[in-house]
Amino acid sequence: MTPVEWTLRFIPRRSPSFLAALTVSSTAMVLAILARGAFLGWPNGASLSATYFPVYIVASLYGGRRWGWATLAISLALGLSNRMAFPTGVSEQGIYFLFAASGAITVVVAGALRDTLVRLEEARLDQNLTQSALDRSEVRLRLAQDAGSVGLWDWDVATGEGVWSPTLYRNLGLDPVRDANVRSLLDIIHPDDREKVRQVNIIAVKEGRMDPIEYRVVWPDGSIHWLLSRGEMLRDDDGVIVRAVGVNIDVTERRMAFEQVRESEARFRALADSAPVLLWVSKTDGQREFVNQAYLAFLGTTYEQALHFDWRDRLHPDDLPRIMQEQVAGEASRQLFTLEARYTQADGAWRWIRSYSQPRYGPERDFIGFIGIAFDVTDAKQAEADLKHINQLLADSVKAALAERDEAETALRHAQKLEAVGQLTGGVAHDFNNLLTVIIGALDLIQRHPADADRRERMIDAALGAARRGERLTGQLLAFSRRQALKPEAIVIDDLLVDAEPLLRRAVGEAVSLSVAPAAPGAVAMIDTGQFEAAVMNLVVNARDAVASGGSIRLETGVCELTEGEVPEIQAGPYVRVGVHDTGVGMDEATVARVFDPFFTTKEIGKGTGLGLSQVYGFARQSGGGVSIDSAPGKGASVRLYLPRSTISPLEAEPGTVAVALGPALRILLVEDDTEVGDLVAMMLEDLNHQVFRADGATAFARFMETGQAFDLLITDLIMPGAKTGVDLAHDAVKARPGLPVILSSGYTGEALASADGAPWPLLRKPYAADALAQAIQDVMASPAPVATAG
């Protein structure tokens, strides 16, 4: 460290505190006295001596001139006091004066030196700060140049040499060791831009003006970059151009973005001009700033005229008010809106135009106008009108065709009904002819040989048997049509089948194996016992006829929960399933589709009536269930009867009837329009010891009124000629004599019995035997008289 540097370290930059200055000055003074006393003796330690001059210098340099003057004064005072204490006899006035003068000079010089050294230090510090600021500024400038790809250049016009910044070398793609001159620059400029740059330089040298210019440079790797050059020409004192300074900025990204935008705009214009629809772009005030060629062609104007064209001049007068209202509303909404109206094109023809206007927004999402597209929909409008006309014609044609189809279907259904009725009547006639043959033949033989008691009994049995078969045939027909009056009871199916098993085995015979497998213990169904047994018998007999000798039939039961649509025509719910499976010949799909038709049979003529499965189907549907068949040729058949399960206990079923006993003789008014039926019923009543009075429907009430209160019971047919029914007659009779017992009777079924619904009197269905008639009389006479109103 040099003395100057050490001194600068010793001298504080600011005035020291009083204590610090006092400490330094006192220390220097004490050291000076100690040194003089050590070498010249202690009596001479405080006398004036050259040892005080370093004290003056230290005090003046550290604390400033005031501390130098203070130490000078103290040393003079000490020297004077020391001389008075230790006189030497030598006159020292001259020496004292010289010492004071020398000390003052020392203080002045030391103070001046301190001021000079402080200024030098401050200047050095200021220079360091300036240099640091300059360094930071250069760093920031270099960072800014690098960030903005701004390269600096300085060009000497006379020599052509220049100075380039590192960023400029990077912008040019050159190595910084390469010379910076105009020739180096021209070598890497793109050939297509080289002449343009050269001309700018020539103008700059001649006219002293350098215009901004963009050009391309080719880097050593072959990539092309765009540069923007800006500069100023500098002159000397004589006005001669000597230098040029400026910047070179890499604008490749901006230029590429510009080229992409220009290319995109060119593509848009090419696409818009090639589109066969009208396209436009409008500003916020509605003024158009772009239209395509189709737009110009429709108007027949120039581009500038089209931008300012008023479309109201081309609108159809009938559409103008509506379009103006819709356009104002659409533009105010700043949402997509559609307009459709008639406009005249350049040739004067009216065309239907449908337009769509979509709002557009700027970079800041501010509304800047609309972009629109319009289609010529004249042909579509005409096609729509033609289509409506065609649709109307088609509707008329379809209506006529449907009417013809309905007529054909009606005729077909009528023919099918006639065929079904013919098949039904043929089958019924065949069976009833057989039954009537037996009845007529038996009665004829009885009439021919009335005395032959043995033959008479046999013929009567034969006639009764035929009549009962006729009754069963009628029941089968009613079951198929679901008109049969059922008497449902809560029955345990398995128990009923076990009881019927012996009868079923006799019907099957020895040649065919029958197995019964009840698997629905305790399952109850509300069914008519007789109809159920008949249905099972029909299924087993059909299975017997379908299997060959040695075949087998399996009768089984079970419970199931059917889902909706699992079995056709059967609703979802709990059921008891009764299945009959055989190993017979089976049936094809066409046969399965017809097995439930009445009188359809696959058996030979005379072997079957064709009513067995019809009865099964009618009974199952009337009981709330259904039937399904699975069969295929050679694979046998499986018929399943589904009956709704009931929660009623079999113990709740109505008890059976007891034997009928003859009651007291009654006076009975019998109203029957069929003479033969009336005669038979009258004989039955007389055989039961009753007195019978006869009347038909027309004379019944008059006969009742003539006899007055004499009748004990009224038995009337339900359906009678004329406007009144048996129910009407019963109401009139009960009104005349309250509490009169009444029995209604009818051989009709279905809707014909509607008049009896809700009547308070029992209905005795034909045909019936004497015991059924006696039971009905006994029941009605034992019951309280019902309350009936006229009507």
Side-chain angles (χ1 to χ4, degrees):
M1 181 180 298
T2 63
V4 174
E5 290 177 346
W6 185 91
T7 304
L8 290 175
R9 279 181 173 273
F10 172 74
I11 298 174
R13 295 181 180 86
R14 297 179 181 178
S15 297
S17 63
F18 175 80
L19 182 61
L22 178 61
T23 301
V24 172
S25 299
S26 300
T27 301
M29 181 68 71
V30 170
L31 290 175
I33 293 173
L34 291 175
R36 182 175 177 80
F39 289 102
L40 299 180
W42 294 110
N44 297 318
S47 62
L48 298 176
S49 171
T51 56
Y52 287 119
F53 288 100
V55 176
Y56 306 153
I57 295 173
V58 169
S60 298
L61 289 177
Y62 183 79
R65 289 188 181 86
R66 59 179 178 172
W67 286 100
W69 294 121
T71 54
L72 176 61
I74 293 171
S75 63
L76 290 175
L78 289 175
L80 180 60
S81 62
N82 187 69
R83 185 176 65 82
M84 293 176 64
F86 302 101
T88 58
V90 180
S91 176
E92 295 180 352
Q93 288 82 359
I95 296 174
Y96 191 84
F97 177 79
L98 291 175
F99 186 87
S102 299
I105 293 171
T106 301
V107 170
V108 171
V109 172
L113 178 61
R114 181 183 187 281
D115 293 339
T116 301
L117 291 176
V118 169
R119 283 196 295 270
L120 289 175
E121 178 64 13
E122 290 177 351
R124 184 181 67 83
L125 291 177
D126 290 342
Q127 182 181 7
N128 291 340
L129 292 175
T130 302
Q131 185 62 40
S132 297
L134 180 61
D135 293 342
R136 288 194 299 271
S137 177
E138 289 180 354
V139 170
R140 287 195 294 269
L141 178 61
R142 184 167 59 253
L143 291 176
Q145 293 176 7
D146 293 341
S149 297
V150 178
L152 305 179
W153 52 266
D154 188 339
W155 171 41
D156 190 317
V157 174
T159 63
E161 300 299 323
V163 177
W164 294 345
S165 69
T167 305
L168 181 57
Y169 279 102
R170 190 184 67 185
N171 290 347
L172 298 176
L174 299 178
D175 191 339
V177 300
R178 186 167 180 173
D179 294 337
N181 53 57
V182 175
R183 175 49 53 192
S184 298
L185 178 63
L186 292 176
D187 290 342
I188 61 174
I189 291 178
H190 193 282
D192 295 343
D193 298 339
R194 195 170 294 160
E195 181 61 23
K196 177 174 62 175
V197 174
R198 195 175 67 83
Q199 291 298 326
V200 168
N201 290 337
I202 292 174
I203 293 174
V205 172
K206 289 183 177 181
E207 301 180 7
R209 172 177 55 84
M210 179 173 287
D211 296 327
I213 183 175
E214 288 188 8
Y215 55 89
R216 291 163 291 178
V217 294
V218 182
W219 284 14
D221 59 3
S223 60
I224 298 177
H225 296 259
W226 281 90
L227 299 181
L228 168 63
S229 181
R230 294 178 178 274
E232 293 288 339
M233 305 303 294
L234 304 181
R235 302 174 183 270
D236 58 11
D237 296 337
D238 298 331
V240 177
I241 297 174
V242 294
R243 292 174 59 207
V245 295
V247 296
N248 242 328
I249 305 172
D250 189 331
V251 294
T252 304
E253 292 183 2
R254 189 200 70 182
R255 188 74 184 199
M256 294 301 295
F258 172 77
E259 293 295 332
Q260 289 176 356
V261 171
R262 187 171 64 178
E263 182 181 0
S264 176
E265 181 179 355
R267 285 198 304 267
F268 168 74
R269 287 183 175 273
L271 180 63
D273 287 339
S274 63
V277 294
L278 282 67
L279 295 173
W280 69 92
V281 176
S282 66
K283 304 176 185 178
T284 55
D285 59 357
Q287 178 66 44
R288 287 170 293 280
E289 60 181 352
F290 169 79
V291 295
N292 69 339
Q293 289 298 320
Y295 196 102
L296 301 179
F298 189 91
L299 293 179
T301 62
T302 65
Y303 188 85
E304 289 299 325
Q305 291 173 337
L307 293 179
H308 302 86
F309 192 84
D310 189 347
W311 274 94
R312 289 176 293 184
D313 297 339
R314 296 290 185 93
L315 261 170
H316 195 283
D318 296 342
D319 299 336
L320 178 58
R322 173 179 59 84
I323 290 299
M324 293 305 299
Q325 183 177 1
E326 292 178 0
Q327 182 171 354
V328 170
E331 291 179 349
S333 69
R334 293 188 178 181
Q335 295 180 354
L336 174 67
F337 67 93
T338 304
L339 302 176
E340 184 173 295
R342 289 161 290 182
Y343 299 84
T344 53
Q345 60 183 11
D347 59 3
W350 287 104
R351 308 295 294 180
W352 277 97
I353 301 296
R354 180 184 301 151
S355 65
Y356 299 87
S357 296
Q358 175 74 39
R360 60 193 185 99
Y361 298 91
E364 302 299 328
R365 299 303 300 165
D366 53 323
F367 175 73
I368 59 174
F370 284 90
I371 182 170
I373 183 172
F375 303 88
D376 187 331
V377 294
T378 306
D379 295 338
K381 284 282 188 179
Q382 184 61 45
E384 182 180 357
D386 294 343
L387 182 59
K388 288 182 179 178
H389 180 65
I390 294 173
N391 286 340
Q392 185 60 44
L393 294 177
L394 287 176
D396 296 340
S397 300
V398 169
K399 185 177 180 180
L402 289 176
E404 294 178 1
R405 185 203 65 182
D406 293 341
E407 292 178 1
E409 288 181 350
T410 302
L412 176 60
R413 283 195 296 270
H414 182 65
Q416 290 174 338
K417 288 180 181 178
L418 292 177
E419 181 183 359
V421 170
Q423 185 178 14
L424 178 62
T425 55
V428 172
H430 171 268
D431 289 348
F432 269 97
N433 281 335
N434 288 338
L435 299 175
L436 291 175
T437 299
V438 175
I439 296 172
I440 292 173
L443 294 176
D444 183 62
L445 288 174
I446 292 173
Q447 189 178 29
R448 287 175 181 275
H449 306 281
D452 189 343
D454 181 59
R455 176 179 292 181
R456 185 176 63 247
E457 291 298 326
R458 285 188 287 110
M459 291 301 100
I460 290 174
D461 290 340
L464 286 174
R468 289 190 177 96
R469 288 196 301 274
E471 182 183 9
R472 286 195 299 273
L473 179 60
T474 303
Q476 288 177 323
L477 288 172
L478 292 175
F480 169 75
S481 63
R482 285 178 275 176
R483 303 290 183 90
Q484 176 71 18
L486 301 181
K487 298 178 180 178
E489 299 175 277
I491 301 297
V492 178
I493 299 298
D494 284 2
D495 295 346
L496 192 60
L497 289 181
V498 170
D499 293 341
E501 183 177 355
L503 181 61
L504 296 174
R505 290 191 181 279
R506 286 196 298 272
V508 170
E510 300 293 336
V512 177
S513 171
L514 173 65
S515 61
V516 179
V524 177
M526 291 295 294
I527 59 173
D528 185 304
T529 304
Q531 288 293 322
F532 174 73
E533 290 176 342
V536 174
M537 179 63 73
N538 283 329
L539 293 177
V540 171
V541 170
N542 275 356
R544 178 203 64 189
D545 294 340
V547 301
S549 178
S552 64
I553 301 173
R554 177 180 174 83
L555 173 61
E556 64 181 16
T557 63
V559 294
C560 61
E561 289 280 346
L562 296 182
T563 58
E564 194 68 35
E566 183 177 351
V567 178
E569 298 184 350
I570 302 181
Q571 296 180 351
Y575 289 87
V576 181
R577 183 182 61 246
V578 180
V580 177
H581 313 282
D582 65 65
T583 59
V585 295
M587 297 174 286
D588 57 19
E589 292 184 4
T591 304
V592 170
R594 298 190 60 192
V595 291
F596 294 131
D597 293 348
F599 299 106
F600 174 78
T601 180
T602 59
K603 301 174 184 178
E604 299 176 2
I605 296 177
K607 296 293 185 180
T609 64
L611 286 174
L613 288 179
S614 299
Q615 182 271 337
V616 174
Y617 178 81
F619 161 73
R621 296 295 292 165
Q622 196 171 4
S623 300
V627 186
S628 69
I629 295 181
D630 294 327
S631 184
K635 297 185 178 180
S638 295
V639 183
R640 297 177 179 85
L641 179 64
Y642 294 91
L643 300 171
R645 273 186 299 180
S646 174
T647 57
I648 299 177
S649 171
L651 297 178
E652 300 175 12
E654 296 182 358
T657 59
V658 297
V660 180
L662 293 176
L666 303 174
R667 292 171 59 84
I668 300 175
L669 177 60
L670 176 62
V671 182
E672 177 62 61
D673 287 294
D674 191 307
T675 304
E676 294 180 355
V677 174
D679 293 341
L680 178 61
V681 175
M683 286 188 290
M684 289 181 181
L685 293 172
E686 291 171 351
D687 192 52
L688 293 172
N689 202 29
H690 299 300
Q691 185 178 0
V692 181
F693 298 88
R694 298 280 301 278
D696 59 20
T699 62
F701 188 71
R703 184 69 184 274
F704 175 80
M705 296 303 294
E706 289 173 2
T707 310
Q709 304 294 323
F711 294 123
D712 301 313
L713 175 65
L714 172 64
I715 300 177
T716 176
D717 194 12
L718 182 64
I719 306 300
M720 297 184 296
K724 286 195 173 184
T725 66
V727 175
D728 298 330
L729 175 60
H731 278 291
D732 293 340
V734 172
K735 182 179 181 182
R737 182 195 163 184
L740 175 68
V742 177
I743 295 177
L744 303 176
S745 176
S746 179
Y748 283 92
T749 60
E751 288 82 359
L753 300 180
S755 61
D757 293 342
W761 305 289
L763 176 65
L764 183 61
R765 296 179 182 274
K766 299 175 183 178
Y768 50 83
D771 56 350
L773 179 60
Q775 181 66 54
I777 294 173
Q778 179 178 326
D779 292 341
V780 75
M781 296 306 294
S783 301
V787 178
T789 59

